[in-house]
Coordinates of all heavy atoms in Angstrom, one line a residue:
V372 N -23.2 80.0 -134.2 CA -23.7 80.9 -135.2 C -24.8 80.1 -135.9 O -25.9 80.7 -136.2 CB -22.6 81.3 -136.2 CG1 -23.2 81.9 -137.5 CG2 -21.6 82.2 -135.6
E373 N -24.6 78.8 -136.2 CA -25.6 78.0 -136.9 C -26.9 78.0 -136.1 O -28.0 78.2 -136.6 CB -25.1 76.6 -137.1 CG -24.1 76.5 -138.2 CD -23.6 75.1 -138.4 OE1 -24.1 74.2 -137.7 OE2 -22.7 74.9 -139.3
E374 N -26.8 77.8 -134.8 CA -28.0 77.7 -133.9 C -28.7 79.0 -133.9 O -30.0 79.1 -134.0 CB -27.6 77.3 -132.5 CG -27.2 75.9 -132.3 CD -28.4 74.9 -132.8 OE1 -29.5 75.2 -132.4 OE2 -28.1 74.0 -133.5
A375 N -28.0 80.1 -133.8 CA -28.7 81.5 -133.7 C -29.4 81.8 -135.0 O -30.5 82.3 -135.0 CB -27.6 82.5 -133.5
V376 N -28.8 81.4 -136.2 CA -29.5 81.7 -137.5 C -30.7 80.8 -137.6 O -31.7 81.2 -138.1 CB -28.4 81.5 -138.6 CG1 -29.1 81.7 -140.0 CG2 -27.3 82.6 -138.5
K377 N -30.5 79.5 -137.2 CA -31.7 78.6 -137.3 C -32.8 79.0 -136.4 O -34.0 79.0 -136.8 CB -31.2 77.2 -136.9 CG -30.5 76.5 -138.0 CD -30.0 75.1 -137.6 CE -29.2 74.4 -138.7 NZ -28.6 73.1 -138.3
Q378 N -32.5 79.5 -135.2 CA -33.6 80.0 -134.3 C -34.2 81.2 -134.9 O -35.4 81.5 -134.6 CB -33.0 80.3 -132.9 CG -32.7 79.0 -132.2 CD -32.1 79.3 -130.8 OE1 -32.0 80.4 -130.4 NE2 -31.7 78.2 -130.1
A379 N -33.5 82.0 -135.8 CA -34.1 83.2 -136.4 C -35.0 82.8 -137.6 O -35.6 83.6 -138.2 CB -33.0 84.1 -136.8
G380 N -35.0 81.5 -137.9 CA -35.9 81.0 -139.0 C -35.3 80.4 -140.2 O -36.0 80.0 -141.1
A381 N -33.9 80.4 -140.3 CA -33.3 79.9 -141.5 C -33.4 78.4 -141.5 O -33.4 77.7 -140.5 CB -31.8 80.3 -141.5
Q382 N -33.6 77.8 -142.7 CA -33.7 76.3 -142.8 C -32.4 75.7 -143.0 O -32.1 74.7 -142.3 CB -34.6 76.0 -144.1 CG -36.0 76.5 -144.0 CD -36.8 75.9 -142.9 OE1 -36.8 74.7 -142.7 NE2 -37.5 76.8 -142.1
A383 N -31.6 76.1 -143.9 CA -30.2 75.6 -144.1 C -29.2 76.6 -143.8 O -29.3 77.8 -144.3 CB -30.1 75.1 -145.6
V384 N -28.2 76.2 -143.1 CA -27.1 77.2 -142.7 C -25.7 76.6 -143.0 O -25.5 75.4 -142.7 CB -27.2 77.5 -141.2 CG1 -26.1 78.5 -140.8 CG2 -28.5 78.1 -140.8
T385 N -24.9 77.3 -143.6 CA -23.5 76.9 -143.8 C -22.6 78.1 -143.3 O -22.8 79.2 -143.7 CB -23.2 76.7 -145.3 OG1 -24.1 75.7 -145.8 CG2 -21.7 76.3 -145.5
V386 N -21.8 77.8 -142.4 CA -20.9 78.8 -141.8 C -19.5 78.5 -142.3 O -19.0 77.4 -142.3 CB -20.9 78.7 -140.3 CG1 -19.9 79.7 -139.7 CG2 -22.3 79.0 -139.7
E387 N -18.9 79.6 -142.9 CA -17.5 79.4 -143.4 C -16.6 80.5 -142.7 O -16.9 81.6 -142.6 CB -17.5 79.7 -144.9 CG -16.2 79.5 -145.6 CD -16.4 79.7 -147.1 OE1 -17.5 79.7 -147.6 OE2 -15.3 80.0 -147.7
F388 N -15.5 80.0 -142.1 CA -14.6 80.9 -141.4 C -13.5 81.3 -142.4 O -12.9 80.5 -143.0 CB -14.0 80.2 -140.2 CG -14.9 80.0 -139.1 CD1 -15.7 78.9 -138.9 CD2 -15.1 81.0 -138.1 CE1 -16.6 78.7 -137.9 CE2 -16.0 80.9 -137.1 CZ -16.7 79.7 -137.0
L389 N -13.3 82.6 -142.5 CA -12.3 83.1 -143.4 C -11.1 83.7 -142.6 O -11.3 84.5 -141.7 CB -12.8 84.3 -144.3 CG -14.0 83.9 -145.2 CD1 -14.5 85.1 -146.0 CD2 -13.6 82.8 -146.2
R390 N -9.9 83.2 -142.8 CA -8.8 83.7 -142.0 C -7.9 84.7 -142.8 O -7.0 85.3 -142.3 CB -8.0 82.5 -141.5 CG -8.8 81.6 -140.7 CD -7.9 80.7 -139.8 NE -8.7 79.6 -139.2 CZ -9.6 79.8 -138.2 NH1 -9.8 81.0 -137.7 NH2 -10.2 78.7 -137.7
H391 N -8.2 84.8 -144.1 CA -7.4 85.7 -145.0 C -8.4 86.4 -145.9 O -9.2 85.8 -146.5 CB -6.4 85.0 -145.8 CG -5.4 84.3 -145.0 ND1 -4.3 85.0 -144.4 CD2 -5.2 83.0 -144.6 CE1 -3.6 84.2 -143.7 NE2 -4.1 83.0 -143.8
P392 N -8.4 87.7 -145.9 CA -7.5 88.6 -145.2 C -7.9 88.7 -143.7 O -9.0 88.5 -143.4 CB -7.7 90.0 -145.8 CG -9.1 89.9 -146.3 CD -9.3 88.5 -146.7
P393 N -6.9 88.9 -142.8 CA -7.2 89.0 -141.4 C -8.1 90.1 -141.1 O -8.1 91.2 -141.7 CB -5.8 89.2 -140.7 CG -4.9 89.7 -141.8 CD -5.5 89.2 -143.1
W394 N -8.9 89.9 -140.0 CA -9.9 90.9 -139.6 C -9.1 92.1 -138.9 O -8.2 91.8 -138.2 CB -10.9 90.3 -138.7 CG -12.0 91.3 -138.3 CD1 -13.1 91.5 -139.0 CD2 -12.0 92.2 -137.2 NE1 -13.9 92.4 -138.4 CE2 -13.3 92.9 -137.3 CE3 -11.2 92.4 -136.1 CZ2 -13.6 93.8 -136.4 CZ3 -11.6 93.4 -135.2 CH2 -12.8 94.1 -135.3
T395 N -9.5 93.3 -139.2 CA -9.0 94.5 -138.5 C -10.3 95.3 -138.1 O -11.3 95.2 -138.7 CB -8.1 95.4 -139.3 OG1 -8.9 96.1 -140.3 CG2 -7.0 94.6 -140.0
S396 N -10.1 96.2 -137.1 CA -11.2 97.0 -136.7 C -11.6 98.0 -137.7 O -12.7 98.6 -137.6 CB -10.9 97.7 -135.4 OG -9.6 98.4 -135.4
D397 N -10.9 98.2 -138.8 CA -11.3 99.1 -139.9 C -12.5 98.4 -140.6 O -13.2 99.1 -141.4 CB -10.2 99.3 -140.9 CG -9.2 100.3 -140.5 OD1 -9.5 101.0 -139.5 OD2 -8.1 100.4 -141.1
R398 N -12.7 97.1 -140.4 CA -13.8 96.4 -141.1 C -15.1 96.5 -140.4 O -16.1 95.9 -140.8 CB -13.4 95.0 -141.4 CG -12.2 94.9 -142.4 CD -11.7 93.6 -142.6 NE -12.6 92.7 -143.2 CZ -12.4 91.4 -143.5 NH1 -11.3 90.8 -143.1 NH2 -13.4 90.7 -144.1
I399 N -15.2 97.2 -139.3 CA -16.5 97.4 -138.6 C -17.3 98.3 -139.4 O -16.8 99.4 -139.8 CB -16.3 98.0 -137.2 CG1 -15.4 97.0 -136.3 CG2 -17.6 98.3 -136.5 CD1 -15.1 97.6 -134.9
S400 N -18.5 97.9 -139.7 CA -19.4 98.8 -140.6 C -19.8 100.1 -139.9 O -19.7 100.2 -138.7 CB -20.6 98.0 -141.0 OG -21.4 97.8 -139.9
E401 N -20.3 101.0 -140.7 CA -20.8 102.2 -140.1 C -22.0 101.9 -139.2 O -22.1 102.6 -138.1 CB -21.3 103.2 -141.2 CG -20.1 104.0 -141.9 CD -19.2 104.7 -140.9 OE1 -19.8 105.4 -140.0 OE2 -18.0 104.6 -141.0
V402 N -22.8 101.0 -139.5 CA -23.9 100.6 -138.6 C -23.4 100.0 -137.3 O -23.8 100.4 -136.2 CB -24.8 99.5 -139.3 CG1 -25.9 99.0 -138.3 CG2 -25.6 100.2 -140.5
G403 N -22.3 99.2 -137.4 CA -21.7 98.6 -136.2 C -21.1 99.7 -135.4 O -21.2 99.7 -134.1
R404 N -20.4 100.7 -136.0 CA -19.8 101.8 -135.2 C -20.9 102.6 -134.5 O -20.7 103.0 -133.4 CB -19.0 102.7 -136.2 CG -17.8 101.9 -136.8 CD -17.1 102.7 -137.9 NE -16.5 103.9 -137.3 CZ -15.3 103.9 -136.7 NH1 -14.7 102.8 -136.6 NH2 -14.8 105.0 -136.3
E405 N -22.0 102.8 -135.2 CA -23.1 103.6 -134.6 C -23.7 102.8 -133.4 O -24.0 103.4 -132.4 CB -24.1 103.9 -135.6 CG -24.9 105.2 -135.4 CD -24.1 106.4 -135.0 OE1 -23.1 106.7 -135.7 OE2 -24.5 107.0 -134.0
R406 N -23.8 101.5 -133.6 CA -24.4 100.7 -132.5 C -23.5 100.7 -131.3 O -23.9 100.7 -130.1 CB -24.7 99.3 -133.0 CG -25.7 99.2 -134.1 CD -27.1 98.8 -133.5 NE -28.1 99.1 -134.5 CZ -28.4 98.3 -135.5 NH1 -27.8 97.2 -135.7 NH2 -29.4 98.7 -136.3
L407 N -22.2 100.7 -131.5 CA -21.2 100.7 -130.4 C -21.4 102.0 -129.6 O -21.5 102.0 -128.4 CB -19.8 100.6 -130.9 CG -19.3 99.3 -131.3 CD1 -17.9 99.4 -132.0 CD2 -19.1 98.4 -130.1
K408 N -21.6 103.1 -130.3 CA -21.8 104.4 -129.7 C -23.1 104.5 -128.9 O -23.1 105.0 -127.8 CB -21.8 105.6 -130.7 CG -20.5 105.9 -131.3 CD -20.7 107.1 -132.2 CE -19.5 107.4 -133.1 NZ -19.7 108.5 -134.0
Q409 N -24.1 103.9 -129.5 CA -25.4 103.8 -128.7 C -25.3 103.1 -127.4 O -26.0 103.3 -126.5 CB -26.5 103.2 -129.6 CG -26.9 104.1 -130.8 CD -27.8 103.3 -131.8 OE1 -28.1 102.2 -131.6 NE2 -28.2 104.0 -132.8
F410 N -24.3 102.1 -127.4 CA -24.1 101.3 -126.2 C -23.1 102.0 -125.3 O -22.8 101.4 -124.2 CB -23.6 99.9 -126.7 CG -23.9 98.8 -125.6 CD1 -25.1 98.4 -125.3 CD2 -22.8 98.2 -125.0 CE1 -25.3 97.4 -124.4 CE2 -23.0 97.2 -124.1 CZ -24.2 96.8 -123.7
G411 N -22.6 103.1 -125.6 CA -21.7 103.9 -124.8 C -20.2 103.5 -125.0 O -19.4 103.7 -124.1
I412 N -19.9 102.8 -126.1 CA -18.5 102.4 -126.4 C -18.0 103.1 -127.6 O -18.7 103.1 -128.6 CB -18.5 100.9 -126.6 CG1 -18.9 100.1 -125.4 CG2 -17.1 100.5 -127.0 CD1 -19.0 98.6 -125.6
A413 N -16.9 103.8 -127.4 CA -16.3 104.6 -128.5 C -15.7 103.5 -129.5 O -15.0 102.7 -129.1 CB -15.2 105.5 -128.1
P414 N -16.1 103.6 -130.8 CA -15.5 102.7 -131.8 C -14.0 103.0 -132.1 O -13.6 104.2 -131.8 CB -16.4 102.9 -133.0 CG -16.9 104.3 -132.9 CD -17.1 104.5 -131.4
P415 N -13.3 102.1 -132.5 CA -11.9 102.4 -132.8 C -11.7 103.3 -134.0 O -12.6 103.3 -134.9 CB -11.3 101.0 -133.1 CG -12.4 100.1 -133.5 CD -13.6 100.7 -132.8
P416 N -10.7 104.1 -134.1 CA -10.5 105.0 -135.3 C -10.2 104.1 -136.5 O -9.7 103.0 -136.4 CB -9.3 105.8 -134.9 CG -8.6 105.0 -133.9 CD -9.6 104.2 -133.2
R417 N -10.5 104.7 -137.7 CA -10.2 104.0 -138.9 C -8.8 104.5 -139.4 O -8.4 105.6 -139.1 CB -11.2 104.4 -140.0 CG -12.6 103.9 -139.7 CD -13.5 104.1 -141.0 NE -14.8 103.7 -140.8 CZ -15.2 102.4 -140.9 NH1 -14.4 101.4 -141.2 NH2 -16.5 102.1 -140.7
Q418 N -8.1 103.6 -140.1 CA -6.9 104.0 -140.7 C -5.9 104.6 -139.8 O -5.3 105.7 -140.1 CB -7.1 104.9 -141.9 CG -8.1 104.4 -143.0 CD -7.5 103.3 -143.8 OE1 -6.4 103.3 -144.2 NE2 -8.4 102.3 -144.1
M419 N -5.8 104.1 -138.6 CA -5.0 104.7 -137.5 C -3.5 104.3 -137.7 O -3.1 103.2 -138.0 CB -5.4 104.1 -136.2 CG -4.8 104.8 -135.0 SD -5.2 104.0 -133.5 CE -3.7 103.0 -133.4
A420 N -2.6 105.3 -137.6 CA -1.2 105.0 -137.5 C -0.9 104.4 -136.2 O -1.5 104.8 -135.2 CB -0.4 106.3 -137.7
P421 N 0.1 103.5 -136.1 CA 0.4 102.8 -134.8 C 0.8 103.9 -133.8 O 1.6 104.8 -134.1 CB 1.6 101.9 -135.2 CG 1.4 101.6 -136.6 CD 0.8 102.9 -137.2
G422 N 0.3 103.8 -132.6 CA 0.6 104.7 -131.5 C -0.1 106.0 -131.5 O 0.1 106.9 -130.7
A423 N -1.1 106.2 -132.4 CA -1.8 107.5 -132.5 C -3.3 107.3 -132.2 O -4.1 107.8 -132.9 CB -1.6 108.1 -133.9
W424 N -3.6 106.6 -131.2 CA -5.0 106.3 -130.8 C -5.7 107.5 -130.2 O -5.4 108.0 -129.1 CB -5.0 105.2 -129.8 CG -6.4 104.6 -129.6 CD1 -7.5 104.8 -130.3 CD2 -6.8 103.8 -128.5 NE1 -8.6 104.1 -129.8 CE2 -8.1 103.5 -128.6 CE3 -6.1 103.2 -127.4 CZ2 -8.8 102.7 -127.7 CZ3 -6.8 102.4 -126.5 CH2 -8.1 102.2 -126.7
Q425 N -6.5 108.2 -131.0 CA -7.3 109.3 -130.6 C -8.8 108.9 -130.4 O -9.3 108.3 -131.4 CB -7.2 110.5 -131.6 CG -8.1 111.7 -131.3 CD -7.6 112.4 -130.1 OE1 -6.4 112.6 -129.9 NE2 -8.5 112.7 -129.2
V426 N -9.4 109.1 -129.3 CA -10.7 108.6 -129.0 C -11.7 109.7 -128.9 O -11.4 110.7 -128.1 CB -10.7 107.7 -127.7 CG1 -12.1 107.3 -127.3 CG2 -9.7 106.5 -127.9
E427 N -12.8 109.6 -129.6 CA -13.9 110.6 -129.4 C -14.9 110.0 -128.4 O -15.2 108.9 -128.4 CB -14.6 110.8 -130.8 CG -13.9 111.6 -131.7 CD -14.7 111.9 -133.0 OE1 -15.9 111.5 -133.1 OE2 -14.1 112.4 -134.0
C428 N -15.4 110.9 -127.6 CA -16.4 110.5 -126.6 C -17.7 110.0 -127.4 O -18.2 110.7 -128.2 CB -16.8 111.8 -125.8 SG -18.2 111.5 -124.6
P429 N -18.2 108.9 -127.0 CA -19.4 108.4 -127.6 C -20.7 109.1 -127.3 O -21.7 109.0 -127.9 CB -19.5 106.9 -127.2 CG -18.8 106.9 -125.9 CD -17.7 107.9 -126.0
Y430 N -20.6 109.9 -126.2 CA -21.8 110.7 -125.8 C -21.9 112.1 -126.4 O -22.9 112.5 -126.8 CB -21.8 110.8 -124.2 CG -21.8 109.5 -123.5 CD1 -20.7 109.0 -122.8 CD2 -22.9 108.6 -123.6 CE1 -20.7 107.8 -122.2 CE2 -23.0 107.4 -123.0 CZ -21.9 107.0 -122.3 OH -21.9 105.8 -121.7
C431 N -20.8 112.8 -126.4 CA -20.8 114.2 -126.9 C -20.0 114.4 -128.1 O -20.0 115.5 -128.7 CB -20.5 115.2 -125.8 SG -18.7 115.2 -125.4
G432 N -19.1 113.5 -128.5 CA -18.3 113.6 -129.7 C -17.0 114.4 -129.5 O -16.3 114.6 -130.4
A433 N -16.8 114.8 -128.3 CA -15.6 115.6 -128.0 C -14.3 114.8 -128.1 O -14.3 113.6 -127.9 CB -15.6 116.2 -126.6
E434 N -13.2 115.4 -128.5 CA -11.9 114.7 -128.6 C -11.1 115.0 -127.4 O -10.0 114.5 -127.3 CB -11.2 115.2 -129.9 CG -11.8 114.7 -131.1 CD -11.0 115.1 -132.4 OE1 -10.0 115.8 -132.3 OE2 -11.5 114.7 -133.5
R435 N -11.6 115.7 -126.4 CA -10.9 116.0 -125.2 C -11.1 114.8 -124.2 O -11.9 114.9 -123.3 CB -11.4 117.3 -124.6 CG -11.0 118.5 -125.3 CD -11.5 119.8 -124.7 NE -11.1 119.9 -123.3 CZ -11.8 120.4 -122.3 NH1 -13.1 120.8 -122.6 NH2 -11.4 120.4 -121.1
T436 N -10.5 113.7 -124.5 CA -10.7 112.5 -123.7 C -9.3 112.0 -123.2 O -8.3 112.3 -123.9 CB -11.3 111.4 -124.5 OG1 -10.5 111.1 -125.6 CG2 -12.7 111.8 -125.0
V437 N -9.3 111.4 -122.1 CA -8.1 110.8 -121.6 C -8.3 109.3 -121.2 O -9.4 109.0 -120.7 CB -7.5 111.6 -120.3 CG1 -7.0 113.0 -120.7 CG2 -8.6 111.7 -119.3
M438 N -7.3 108.5 -121.4 CA -7.4 107.1 -121.0 C -7.2 107.1 -119.4 O -6.2 107.6 -118.9 CB -6.3 106.3 -121.6 CG -6.4 104.8 -121.3 SD -5.0 103.8 -122.0 CE -5.3 104.0 -123.7
E439 N -8.1 106.4 -118.8 CA -8.1 106.2 -117.4 C -7.4 104.9 -117.1 O -6.7 104.7 -116.1 CB -9.5 106.2 -116.7 CG -10.2 107.5 -116.8 CD -9.6 108.4 -115.7 OE1 -9.6 108.0 -114.5 OE2 -9.3 109.6 -116.0
N440 N -7.6 103.8 -117.9 CA -7.0 102.5 -117.7 C -7.0 101.8 -119.0 O -8.1 101.6 -119.7 CB -7.9 101.8 -116.6 CG -7.1 100.6 -116.1 OD1 -6.3 99.9 -116.8 ND2 -7.3 100.3 -114.8
L441 N -5.9 101.3 -119.4 CA -5.7 100.5 -120.6 C -6.6 99.3 -120.6 O -7.1 98.8 -121.6 CB -4.3 100.2 -120.9 CG -4.0 99.3 -122.1 CD1 -4.4 100.1 -123.4 CD2 -2.5 99.0 -122.2
F442 N -6.7 98.7 -119.3 CA -7.4 97.5 -119.2 C -8.9 97.7 -118.8 O -9.2 98.1 -117.7 CB -6.7 96.6 -118.1 CG -5.2 96.4 -118.5 CD1 -4.2 97.1 -117.9 CD2 -4.9 95.4 -119.4 CE1 -2.9 96.9 -118.3 CE2 -3.6 95.2 -119.8 CZ -2.6 96.0 -119.2
G443 N -9.8 97.4 -119.7 CA -11.2 97.5 -119.4 C -11.8 96.2 -119.0 O -11.1 95.2 -118.7
P444 N -13.1 96.1 -119.1 CA -13.8 94.8 -118.7 C -13.5 93.6 -119.6 O -13.7 92.5 -119.1 CB -15.3 95.2 -118.7 CG -15.4 96.4 -119.6 CD -14.1 97.1 -119.5
T445 N -13.1 93.9 -120.8 CA -12.7 92.8 -121.7 C -11.3 93.2 -122.3 O -10.9 94.3 -122.2 CB -13.7 92.5 -122.8 OG1 -13.7 93.7 -123.7 CG2 -15.1 92.3 -122.3
A446 N -10.7 92.2 -122.9 CA -9.3 92.5 -123.5 C -9.4 93.5 -124.6 O -8.4 94.1 -124.9 CB -8.7 91.2 -124.0
C447 N -10.5 93.7 -125.2 CA -10.6 94.6 -126.4 C -11.1 96.0 -126.0 O -11.3 96.8 -126.9 CB -11.5 94.0 -127.5 SG -13.2 93.8 -127.0
R448 N -11.3 96.3 -124.7 CA -11.8 97.6 -124.4 C -10.9 98.2 -123.3 O -10.4 97.6 -122.4 CB -13.2 97.5 -123.9 CG -14.1 96.9 -125.0 CD -15.6 97.0 -124.7 NE -16.1 96.7 -123.4 CZ -17.0 95.8 -123.1 NH1 -17.6 95.2 -124.0 NH2 -17.4 95.6 -121.9
S449 N -10.9 99.6 -123.3 CA -10.2 100.4 -122.3 C -11.1 101.4 -121.7 O -12.2 101.7 -122.3 CB -9.0 101.1 -123.0 OG -8.0 100.2 -123.5
I450 N -10.8 101.9 -120.6 CA -11.6 102.9 -119.9 C -11.1 104.3 -120.2 O -9.9 104.6 -120.0 CB -11.6 102.7 -118.4 CG1 -12.0 101.2 -118.0 CG2 -12.5 103.7 -117.7 CD1 -13.4 100.8 -118.4
F451 N -12.0 105.2 -120.6 CA -11.6 106.6 -120.9 C -12.5 107.5 -120.1 O -13.5 107.1 -119.5 CB -11.8 106.9 -122.4 CG -10.6 106.5 -123.2 CD1 -10.4 105.2 -123.5 CD2 -9.8 107.4 -123.8 CE1 -9.3 104.8 -124.3 CE2 -8.7 107.1 -124.5 CZ -8.5 105.7 -124.8
Y452 N -12.1 108.8 -120.1 CA -12.9 109.8 -119.4 C -13.0 111.0 -120.3 O -12.0 111.4 -121.0 CB -12.2 110.3 -118.1 CG -12.9 111.4 -117.4 CD1 -14.1 111.1 -116.7 CD2 -12.4 112.7 -117.4 CE1 -14.7 112.1 -116.0 CE2 -13.0 113.7 -116.7 CZ -14.2 113.4 -116.0 OH -14.8 114.4 -115.3
C453 N -14.2 111.6 -120.5 CA -14.4 112.8 -121.3 C -14.3 114.0 -120.5 O -15.0 114.2 -119.5 CB -15.8 112.7 -122.0 SG -16.1 114.1 -123.0
R454 N -13.4 114.9 -120.9 CA -13.2 116.2 -120.1 C -14.2 117.2 -120.5 O -14.4 118.2 -119.8 CB -11.8 116.7 -120.4 CG -10.7 115.9 -119.8 CD -9.4 116.6 -120.0 NE -8.4 115.9 -119.1 CZ -7.1 115.9 -119.3 NH1 -6.6 116.7 -120.2 NH2 -6.3 115.3 -118.5
Q455 N -15.0 116.9 -121.6 CA -16.0 117.9 -122.0 C -17.3 117.6 -121.3 O -17.8 118.5 -120.6 CB -16.3 117.7 -123.5 CG -17.3 118.6 -124.1 CD -16.7 120.0 -124.4 OE1 -15.5 120.1 -124.6 NE2 -17.5 121.0 -124.2
C456 N -17.9 116.4 -121.3 CA -19.2 116.1 -120.7 C -19.0 115.4 -119.3 O -20.0 115.1 -118.7 CB -20.1 115.3 -121.6 SG -19.6 113.6 -121.9
K457 N -17.7 115.1 -119.0 CA -17.4 114.5 -117.7 C -17.9 113.1 -117.5 O -18.1 112.6 -116.4 CB -18.0 115.4 -116.5 CG -17.7 116.9 -116.6 CD -16.3 117.2 -116.5 CE -16.1 118.7 -116.4 NZ -14.8 119.1 -116.8
N458 N -18.2 112.4 -118.6 CA -18.6 111.0 -118.5 C -17.4 110.0 -118.6 O -16.6 110.2 -119.5 CB -19.6 110.7 -119.6 CG -21.0 111.1 -119.2 OD1 -21.5 110.7 -118.2 ND2 -21.7 111.9 -120.1
P459 N -17.4 109.0 -117.8 CA -16.5 107.9 -118.1 C -17.1 107.0 -119.2 O -18.3 107.0 -119.4 CB -16.4 107.1 -116.8 CG -17.7 107.4 -116.2 CD -18.1 108.7 -116.6
F460 N -16.3 106.4 -120.0 CA -16.8 105.5 -121.1 C -15.7 104.5 -121.5 O -14.6 104.6 -121.1 CB -17.3 106.3 -122.3 CG -16.2 107.0 -123.0 CD1 -15.5 106.5 -124.1 CD2 -15.9 108.3 -122.6 CE1 -14.5 107.2 -124.7 CE2 -14.9 109.0 -123.3 CZ -14.2 108.5 -124.3
E461 N -16.2 103.5 -122.2 CA -15.2 102.5 -122.7 C -15.0 102.8 -124.2 O -15.8 103.3 -124.9 CB -15.8 101.1 -122.6 CG -16.1 100.7 -121.1 CD -16.8 99.3 -121.0 OE1 -16.8 98.6 -122.0 OE2 -17.4 99.1 -120.0
A462 N -13.8 102.4 -124.6 CA -13.4 102.5 -126.0 C -12.9 101.2 -126.5 O -12.1 100.5 -125.8 CB -12.3 103.6 -126.2
M463 N -13.3 100.8 -127.7 CA -12.8 99.5 -128.3 C -11.5 99.8 -128.8 O -11.2 100.7 -129.6 CB -13.8 99.1 -129.4 CG -13.5 97.7 -129.9 SD -14.8 97.1 -131.0 CE -13.9 95.7 -131.7
K464 N -10.5 98.9 -128.5 CA -9.1 99.0 -128.9 C -9.1 98.8 -130.4 O -9.7 97.9 -131.0 CB -8.2 98.1 -128.2 CG -8.1 98.3 -126.7 CD -7.3 97.3 -126.1 CE -7.3 97.5 -124.5 NZ -6.7 96.3 -123.8
P465 N -8.2 99.5 -131.1 CA -8.1 99.3 -132.6 C -7.3 98.0 -132.8 O -6.4 97.6 -132.0 CB -7.2 100.5 -133.1 CG -6.6 101.1 -131.9 CD -7.5 100.7 -130.7
V466 N -7.7 97.2 -133.8 CA -7.1 96.0 -134.2 C -6.5 96.2 -135.5 O -7.2 96.4 -136.5 CB -8.0 94.8 -134.2 CG1 -7.3 93.5 -134.7 CG2 -8.6 94.5 -132.8
L467 N -5.1 96.3 -135.6 CA -4.4 96.7 -136.8 C -3.9 95.5 -137.5 O -3.6 94.5 -136.8 CB -3.3 97.7 -136.5 CG -3.7 98.9 -135.7 CD1 -2.4 99.7 -135.4 CD2 -4.6 99.8 -136.6
P468 N -3.7 95.5 -138.8 CA -3.1 94.4 -139.5 C -1.7 94.2 -139.0 O -1.0 95.2 -138.7 CB -3.1 94.7 -141.0 CG -3.4 96.2 -141.0 CD -4.0 96.6 -139.7
L469 N -1.2 93.0 -138.9 CA 0.1 92.7 -138.5 C 1.1 93.1 -139.6 O 0.8 92.9 -140.8 CB 0.3 91.2 -138.2 CG -0.5 90.6 -137.0 CD1 -0.3 89.1 -137.0 CD2 0.0 91.3 -135.7
A470 N 2.2 93.7 -139.2 CA 3.2 94.0 -140.2 C 3.8 92.8 -140.7 O 4.3 91.9 -140.0 CB 4.2 94.9 -139.6
M471 N 3.8 92.6 -142.0 CA 4.4 91.4 -142.7 C 5.9 91.7 -143.0 O 6.1 92.7 -143.8 CB 3.7 91.0 -143.9 CG 2.2 90.7 -143.6 SD 1.9 89.4 -142.4 CE 2.1 88.0 -143.5
E472 N 6.8 91.0 -142.5 CA 8.2 91.2 -142.8 C 8.8 90.1 -143.5 O 8.4 89.0 -143.5 CB 9.0 91.5 -141.6 CG 8.6 92.8 -140.9 CD 9.4 93.2 -139.7 OE1 10.5 92.8 -139.6 OE2 8.8 93.8 -138.8
Ligands
ZN1473 ZN1 -18.2 113.6 -123.8

C-alpha cells in the first residue's frame, strides 16, 4: 500500500491496519459496488440475513439468477447464471459479521 501511494505522488505515507470493527461486505461503498458491476461481478447484498443470498445480474439487473458453482476463480466469488439475459457472471460472496456468543 505504501509503495502504491508513493508511486501515485504522496511524499509521506502512514498505513494503519484496523481489526475492529471487523470488515464486512456491507462496508463496500456505492462507488465500489458500481465498479464491481462494471467489471461483471455482482456485489454482495447489504444487510443480508444468513442463508438468504439473493443475487442480481450485474448486466441486466434481473433477480432471476441461479448459482452454477459455489466455487469461483477466487475464494470470495461464485459463478452464477442469469435466466433473463442468459449471461454467466461472478458474484462476490457476502462477508457477514461473526456472531458473538
Ligand atoms: Zn442478466
Side-chain angles (χ1 to χ4, degrees):
V372 171
E373 287 179 2
E374 285 302 314
V376 175
K377 283 179 182 173
Q378 286 178 7
Q382 300 295 316
V384 178
T385 302
V386 176
E387 186 177 340
F388 288 91
L389 300 176
R390 302 199 190 289
H391 296 282
W394 187 86
T395 73
S396 51
D397 282 350
R398 294 173 68 183
I399 298 174
S400 68
E401 281 305 316
V402 171
R404 297 172 64 80
E405 208 47 50
R406 297 263 164 82
L407 282 169
K408 285 185 194 175
Q409 290 170 0
F410 202 67
I412 298 174
R417 292 190 185 278
Q418 307 287 321
M419 189 191 93
W424 190 15
Q425 177 65 45
V426 176
E427 284 184 10
C428 173
Y430 300 113
C431 73
E434 292 183 357
R435 290 181 54 220
T436 61
V437 290
M438 183 186 293
E439 292 283 308
N440 196 325
L441 178 63
F442 303 100
T445 67
C447 66
R448 300 192 316 236
S449 296
I450 307 294
F451 277 75
Y452 177 75
C453 178
R454 290 185 168 162
Q455 184 77 31
C456 70
K457 314 289 187 203
N458 276 306
F460 62 92
E461 296 173 20
M463 189 172 167
K464 294 174 184 170
V466 177
L467 304 174
L469 294 174
M471 304 298 280
E472 294 182 28

